[in-house]
Amino acid sequence: MKAIAVINGTLHDVELPVPQPQGRDLVVKVEAISVNPVDFKQRKAAAHDGEPSLVGWDVAGTVSAVGPQATLFKVGDAVYYAGSVVRPGANSEFHAVDERIVGRKPASLSMEQAAALPLTSITAWEALFERLGVSRSGADEGKSVLIIGGAGGVGSIAIQLAKKLAKLNVIATASRRASEQWCRALGADHVIDHLGDMPAQLAALGLPEVDYILCLNDIDAHFAAMAAAIAPQGKICAIVRNERPLPMDLVFGKSVTVVFEMMFTRSMFGTADMIEQHKLLNEVAALVDAGVLTTTVGETGGRIDAANLTRAHAALEAGRTIGKIVLSGF
């Protein structure tokens, strides 16, 4: 099969064997992918020993084979998923994945539109509804959430979930006019600039404190501002690890909860509740097909090959993308 492999830190077009399904695996014919920061981070972390390795964690495609213990899907089913970082990535014509982290593709979306959703939907859903404990049925209606980095892939889904399901007062951050417009179109009630004084901007909106904060980039740079903006007994969730010790004394007096969301945790550790991601993706698909959620494609990057993926990685590393970059076909 065709594949785009990392060799000594750079992407190359290669030929590799087609994977065979084991246990509860599916083998999926990859028809579209989208690109995430984890892709270039894993590319950089790959061994420089000349051996090819695969990255890529966002897929829409068709089941081509099933393992002996698989029961959730059959050959020919259209699916979407984000895979696992402890298995080979999906920048290849065929990909093996545990069915418990796979969902049915939204019927109303093309493969390209669906490929934009899995990783970011899982991350935003788990962050809001599991880590922060926000009610997805609207029981927390009227409470406020600050989403730092609203125009990126995760932010684009988090705004929709927070507004349309949880019915929160959503304040997103964006540093450019185009990204501000993107956030507002997705449902943000207010947009502030994370490059400026966020507590002062919130105060100017009449929101000196927020109930929840979802930090989608650089927790180190934003922690002091978050500590000032979070309400007493509020909750902060970050999806990016801190690079230096956080000054937790800033939130101690407020009895603030600080949590992290890593969407690969269930698949990395084979947790007993891995199948929750299958259920989650099916629920997202139903919400998309009902017109509640929309896809977050920001750019189509052409065919799936080394040259186009290299350009997509570079765009993400520059940190100025809006929505998701999607590629399709080999």
Side-chain angles (χ1 to χ4, degrees):
M1 66 175 181
K2 294 179 181 178
I4 297 85
V6 179
I7 302 175
N8 296 330
T10 58
L11 296 167
H12 300 266
D13 294 306
V14 299
E15 292 278 338
L16 295 175
V18 174
Q20 300 302 306
Q22 307 293 324
R24 298 193 68 173
D25 281 352
L26 310 174
V27 173
V28 175
K29 178 176 172 53
V30 176
E31 299 186 41
I33 64 170
S34 68
V35 187
N36 297 282
V38 64
D39 296 18
F40 70 74
K41 291 175 182 178
Q42 292 291 97
R43 187 198 80 230
K44 290 180 175 181
H48 283 236
D49 57 5
E51 291 298 313
S53 61
L54 296 179
V55 299
W57 289 276
D58 252 342
V59 174
T62 305
V63 177
S64 66
V66 299
Q69 298 169 22
T71 61
L72 300 176
F73 299 95
K74 64 183 184 303
V75 172
D77 285 345
V79 296
Y80 75 143
Y81 61 91
S84 168
V85 288
V86 295
R87 300 187 67 175
N91 289 344
S92 55
E93 282 189 283
F94 294 90
H95 182 241
V97 61
D98 190 300
E99 67 173 355
R100 289 170 290 180
I101 57 172
V102 176
R104 70 165 188 85
K105 183 186 79 68
S108 59
L109 298 185
S110 66
M111 288 291 182
E112 292 83 358
Q113 292 169 323
L117 292 174
L119 186 147
T120 54
S121 295
I122 295 169
T123 303
W125 187 287
E126 290 184 348
L128 285 168
F129 303 140
E130 299 182 22
R131 310 300 174 227
L132 291 174
V134 175
S135 168
R136 67 175 186 260
S137 63
D140 293 311
E141 182 174 3
K143 290 185 179 180
S144 54
V145 60
L146 172 64
I147 299 175
I148 299 175
V154 177
S156 298
I157 291 293
I159 290 171
Q160 296 183 69
L161 293 175
K163 192 67 209 174
K164 297 176 181 179
L165 269 64
K167 303 188 186 308
L168 300 181
N169 184 12
V170 178
I171 308 99
T173 78
S175 60
R176 293 176 290 149
R177 180 62 177 165
S179 50
E180 176 187 348
Q181 292 173 334
W182 176 269
C183 291
R184 291 190 187 278
L186 291 172
D189 296 287
H190 307 281
V191 181
I192 63 175
D193 186 351
H194 50 255
L195 299 181
D197 185 332
M198 288 192 288
Q201 293 174 77
L202 289 169
L205 294 173
L207 295 164
E209 295 174 335
V210 293
D211 300 294
Y212 308 103
I213 298 177
L214 178 53
C215 183
L216 306 178
N217 60 38
D218 202 347
I219 186 174
D220 297 294
H222 298 307
F223 194 77
M226 291 192 290
I230 194 70
Q233 302 181 88
K235 296 181 179 181
I236 296 171
C237 178
I239 70 165
V240 179
R241 71 181 68 193
N242 50 302
E243 298 297 328
R244 56 182 183 269
L246 296 174
M248 299 300 290
D249 57 300
L250 297 180
V251 295
F252 175 81
K254 291 183 178 181
S255 297
V256 168
T257 299
V258 178
V259 295
F260 292 89
E261 159 59 17
M262 170 65 161
M263 68 131 291
F264 293 114
T265 296
R266 283 173 160 138
S267 57
M268 284 175 65
F269 294 96
T271 61
D273 66 348
M274 267 179 69
I275 201 166
E276 290 303 314
Q277 291 193 344
H278 164 73
K279 296 174 182 177
L280 185 166
L281 287 171
N282 282 350
E283 191 162 353
V284 169
L287 290 166
V288 170
D289 289 340
V292 177
L293 300 179
T294 62
T295 187
T296 56
V297 177
E299 178 185 341
T300 53
R303 296 182 65 83
I304 304 170
D305 61 28
N308 286 335
L309 271 172
T310 297
R311 283 190 286 270
H313 280 217
L316 282 181
E317 289 186 75
R320 297 178 69 80
T321 57
I322 296 175
K324 296 294 292 291
I325 301 174
V326 175
L327 294 85
S328 63
F330 284 86

